[in-house]
Amino acid sequence: MSKNKLNTHSLLAKIIVVGDEKVGKSLMCGKYTERLTDDEVSSYVYQSTIGVDFLVKYIQINNHSYKIHMWDMGGNPRFKSMVSAYFSGINIALVMYDSNNRKSFEGVRAWVKRIKECPKKISTIILFGNITGGNEREVNTIEGERLSRELNIHFRECDIRNGSQLDSILDSIVLDTGYLDKCDKIRE
């Protein structure tokens, strides 16, 4: 993966990350975009996102350069009304839940409904489970897979705090479902 500045033939992937509060959205975005160091991730203490946070990452996959825009949306109920304003131009929506918080999993349907009601359709929606709590999970992998099939969306999960596979999972999301054809070319 390259962090070099991209040329004019690069592709722009726009990702919005939504879900109830305290599910790990900011931690995931910070770790993926390398805003947080490994030491900061291991000692991360939850801080509420006020409204929205914007992050950028550059990656190189299969001879294609991507500029990834990530919108980390605050999950507090007072910010839900503003989320729809950020759906315009988005290619991928990650709907997150915490595997140790059944209530956050039950909130997924409402998030997916809001995304699917968006006038400009988002091409890829992914249910993303943050595995927390080890063996004490309230929501297991089978439940996540079942809900994703019911909602006709993709499913991924990982332990964001301890998982080394986060980069490969998110990079693969950019490549899945023929996404290459759905990216916007970056203009000069």
Side-chain angles (χ1 to χ4, degrees):
M1 307 236 179
S2 172
K3 297 179 193 173
N4 298 336
K5 189 171 179 172
L6 303 180
N7 59 37
T8 57
H9 302 289
S10 302
L11 300 170
L12 175 62
K14 301 172 189 174
I15 301 171
I16 192 166
V17 184
V18 299
D20 290 352
E21 61 185 334
K22 299 181 183 178
V23 297
K25 298 181 301 292
S26 296
L27 179 61
M28 181 196 67
C29 291
K31 187 172 181 180
Y32 181 62
T33 60
E34 299 166 359
R35 180 183 280 183
L36 296 175
T37 65
D38 286 341
D39 288 339
E40 291 170 322
V41 168
S42 65
S43 63
Y44 185 82
V45 177
Y46 170 76
Q47 295 177 11
S48 180
T49 300
I50 307 299
V52 64
D53 194 9
F54 176 73
L55 300 97
V56 177
K57 180 172 182 163
Y58 299 93
I59 62 173
Q60 179 85 26
I61 304 173
N62 297 340
N63 297 319
H64 291 280
S65 298
Y66 293 88
K67 181 177 184 180
I68 312 272
H69 285 182
M70 292 188 84
W71 280 267
D72 170 16
M73 303 303 300
N76 188 295
R78 67 181 175 202
F79 302 124
K80 284 188 178 180
S81 62
M82 68 183 284
V83 170
S84 299
Y86 289 89
F87 287 162
S88 180
I90 294 294
N91 308 105
I92 298 171
L94 296 180
V95 181
M96 285 191 67
Y97 68 91
D98 177 346
S99 70
N100 203 31
N101 179 341
R102 179 154 301 276
K103 185 177 180 208
S104 72
F105 182 71
E106 292 168 353
V108 164
R109 281 185 173 81
W111 286 106
V112 171
K113 181 178 184 220
R114 177 173 277 142
I115 292 166
K116 287 184 174 183
E117 289 174 346
C118 177
K120 184 170 172 42
K121 297 296 179 207
I122 295 174
S123 58
T124 303
I125 304 172
I126 296 161
L127 177 59
F128 198 99
N130 181 14
I131 301 172
T132 59
N135 294 330
E136 304 164 13
R137 291 175 64 165
E138 292 182 15
V139 181
N140 63 41
T141 301
I142 294 169
E143 290 176 280
E145 291 171 339
R146 187 180 307 133
L147 181 59
S148 71
R149 282 190 304 272
E150 177 187 322
L151 297 173
N152 197 28
I153 61 177
H154 303 277
F155 176 72
R156 300 284 191 282
E157 68 175 3
C158 80
D159 179 338
I160 292 169
R161 186 177 298 270
N162 300 317
S164 59
Q165 74 275 30
L166 179 64
D167 279 1
S168 62
I169 288 172
L170 291 177
D171 290 351
S172 73
I173 287 170
V174 173
L175 295 175
D176 279 355
T177 66
Y179 182 73
L180 208 56
D181 299 330
K182 299 172 187 172
C183 283
D184 298 326
K185 293 228 190 280
I186 296 175
R187 293 175 181 79
E188 292 184 75

